[in-house]
């Protein structure tokens, strides 16, 4: 499952979650503001800006990346026969 680390009031975070829902991608969200364990997990990715997205395949990125979200959706959609 895709993991999304967020902060409150973060517009790129909101847009990322909206796009994940649009593509019907299941994800778990962790707001790092009041969760030290999750904050450390997020920072261990090497990124410092939110959102931080981590996929099942281990790919990671930060910010609102429509291109990456589309690639993720495409990779999860079964190929047509």
């Amino acid at each position: 499952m895709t993991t999304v680390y967020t902060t409150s009031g973060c517009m790129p975070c909101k847009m990322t979650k909206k796009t994940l829902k649009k593509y019907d991608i299941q994800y778990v969200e962790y707001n790092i503001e009041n969760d030290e364990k999750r904050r450390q997990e997020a920072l261990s990715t090497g990124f410092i800006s939110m959102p931080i997205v981590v996929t099942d395949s281990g790919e990671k990125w930060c910010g609102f990346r429509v291109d990456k979200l589309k690639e993720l959706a495409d990779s999860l959609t079964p190929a047509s026969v």
Side-chain angles (χ1 to χ4, degrees):
M1 179 163 308
T2 299
T3 301
V4 183
Y5 296 97
T6 64
T7 55
S8 302
C10 166
M11 187 53 68
C13 298
K14 291 177 185 176
M15 294 303 297
T16 296
K17 293 185 293 182
K18 182 177 180 178
T19 304
L20 287 166
K21 288 175 188 170
K22 173 185 171 185
Y23 288 129
D24 199 27
I25 299 171
Q26 293 185 340
Y27 68 95
V28 61
E29 175 186 3
Y30 297 115
N31 185 312
I32 66 166
E33 290 178 335
N34 297 312
D35 188 332
E36 184 60 27
K37 177 184 175 195
R38 299 302 182 185
R39 187 175 81 78
Q40 290 303 320
E41 282 178 15
L43 293 176
S44 74
T45 65
F47 299 112
I48 58 172
S49 61
M50 297 297 126
I52 297 171
V53 179
V54 181
T55 68
D56 283 339
S57 66
E59 186 174 7
K60 304 170 191 165
W61 69 84
C62 69
F64 177 52
R65 296 283 309 270
V66 176
D67 59 327
K68 292 288 194 181
L69 294 167
K70 175 75 170 116
E71 285 176 20
L72 178 59
D74 290 346
S75 75
L76 297 174
T77 304
S80 300
V81 176

